[in-house]
Amino acid sequence: MNRCFKSVIFFIPGWGFKGSIFELAPSDCGTPHLLRPIFLSSGDNCEVLHDGEQQGLGSKGLPILYPKGCAWEISIEAYVETLLGLRRSGKKIHLMGWSLGAILALKIAHLAQQGLRSHGHAPSLTPCSLESLWLISLRRGFPSKEIGNMKAAVERDKRLGLRLFYRDCFKGQESLYRRFKDGLERNYIESFTKKELLEGLDFLENNPVEEISVPEGLRTTLVHGTLDRIAPIEDIPKVTSRVKYMFVEGCGHLPFLCKDVLTQIMQLASLPKMRGAKGEDVLRYFEP
């Protein structure tokens, strides 16, 4: 049975990774999905999908869109412009940020709430236009010493530095790690330059998240693995908004690739309305 999805997941990956990490997602998560990279520039010329592409988007599965290139080199305004283009085409947007991408997602959500002035007029992307916000493996901040050590590792031997980082990311997810090493790892190591990686580390150091405050009315879920070495669970930012949370037992820095978590995300994103979605009882509220 063909089913056209009216929603999209817009995924912003973390440092050293790309959106193609979703290639490791379990295939039996209950909802067919379609990976689609989308080009965004840091200037005014961000590319929005053409009309023909918009019409076909979602005809083969729930689209997971992600930026080409380095997520941290794209301006917040370019992200919001892209979301506005998707919204104008009638798509419901589920914004998902992972690690460094979660920092960006928070910034995007707040700018989207304010509205973005473009081409002489002010289109508005309100909290109601974003169906949901998913903050995955978000850390309060990275100490300067830790960032300095990571920079030194990249400068000394980029390949080895990234390999060690990737190994730590997959703590508790060893089978995923083996698949990553056999496939995506080499591509990622070769595609990121030292300059790009160092700039990403600068971003992490200069953009701490002391508290999680989200636009009023925006449904937000915090997802974290209990074995996360990169963003330890005790370093989750203070919560000052009413959000839901999922703590994933025995999982490392990539909890969104756990079958139970991804199944729930897909279910919620693919339903016409969020309220009363199947799997709701798995979530718990995190009160400020």
Side-chain angles (χ1 to χ4, degrees):
M1 179 178 67
N2 291 328
R3 177 183 179 187
C4 186
F5 290 89
K6 301 298 183 182
S7 298
V8 299
I9 292 175
F10 197 99
F11 174 69
I12 307 176
W15 182 82
F17 284 89
K18 298 181 178 182
S20 55
I21 191 66
F22 261 101
E23 290 179 14
L24 301 181
S27 58
D28 56 344
C29 58
T31 302
H33 54 278
L34 176 68
L35 282 173
R36 171 65 159 83
I38 181 170
F39 173 78
L40 299 92
S41 74
S42 57
D44 296 329
N45 299 317
C46 62
E47 176 188 75
V48 178
L49 297 177
H50 300 298
D51 289 342
E53 293 176 300
Q54 291 278 17
Q55 293 172 6
L57 201 60
S59 60
K60 296 181 180 179
L62 178 64
I64 302 174
L65 307 182
Y66 60 89
K68 289 182 179 178
C70 297
W72 53 91
E73 291 194 335
I74 300 165
S75 70
I76 303 300
E77 291 79 10
Y79 278 114
V80 176
E81 280 280 12
T82 300
L83 297 182
L84 282 167
L86 291 167
R87 188 65 188 139
R88 292 189 195 106
S89 72
K91 295 297 181 184
K92 296 179 179 180
I93 303 164
H94 301 269
L95 182 59
M96 182 189 303
W98 168 45
S99 197
L100 180 151
I103 302 174
L104 287 168
L106 267 177
K107 293 177 179 290
I108 292 165
H110 282 287
L111 182 59
Q113 180 194 40
Q114 299 167 10
L116 180 67
R117 183 167 294 279
S118 175
H119 308 301
H121 63 282
S124 178
L125 186 64
T126 68
C128 294
S129 296
L130 284 174
E131 293 294 309
S132 66
L133 174 64
W134 297 79
L135 303 174
I136 301 167
S137 307
L138 177 61
R139 183 173 175 176
R140 182 185 300 115
F142 288 81
S144 295
K145 182 178 180 180
E146 186 174 337
I147 292 292
N149 290 338
M150 294 174 71
K151 285 183 176 180
V154 169
E155 290 275 22
R156 186 168 51 249
D157 188 334
K158 182 190 74 169
R159 287 177 172 80
L160 178 60
L162 281 176
R163 286 194 182 105
L164 294 175
F165 169 72
Y166 293 145
R167 184 193 64 187
D168 284 346
C169 285
F170 285 89
K171 174 67 175 176
Q173 298 172 274
E174 282 73 19
S175 62
L176 273 180
Y177 181 48
R178 287 191 293 271
R179 291 174 56 203
F180 175 76
K181 282 179 65 68
D182 291 341
L184 294 172
E185 184 182 66
R186 181 177 178 180
N187 172 267
Y188 288 2
I189 289 174
E190 292 179 350
S191 63
F192 288 112
T193 66
K194 283 186 178 181
K195 180 177 181 291
E196 290 169 337
L197 293 169
L198 294 173
E199 288 175 349
L201 292 172
D202 284 337
F203 179 89
L204 286 172
E205 184 175 16
N206 297 328
N207 290 273
V209 180
E210 295 297 334
E211 61 182 40
I212 298 175
S213 176
V214 299
E216 184 177 356
L218 176 57
R219 179 182 181 127
T220 303
T221 305
L222 181 68
V223 184
H224 219 97
T226 60
L227 296 183
D228 196 332
R229 287 182 173 178
I230 307 302
I233 200 165
E234 59 268 20
D235 287 343
I236 293 175
K238 178 182 177 182
V239 177
T240 60
S241 300
R242 191 170 187 259
V243 304
K244 292 184 176 183
Y245 67 88
M246 295 176 68
F247 291 154
V248 188
E249 293 291 338
C251 187
H253 196 53
L254 296 87
F256 62 95
L257 292 182
C258 293
K259 180 181 176 181
D260 290 346
V261 176
L262 187 58
T263 296
Q264 178 155 308
I265 292 172
M266 293 294 189
Q267 286 175 341
L268 294 176
S270 62
L271 289 173
K273 293 185 178 180
M274 300 291 292
R275 194 176 302 277
K278 183 179 179 183
E280 180 82 6
D281 58 326
V282 180
L283 297 173
R284 298 291 180 266
Y285 282 102
F286 198 136
E287 298 287 0

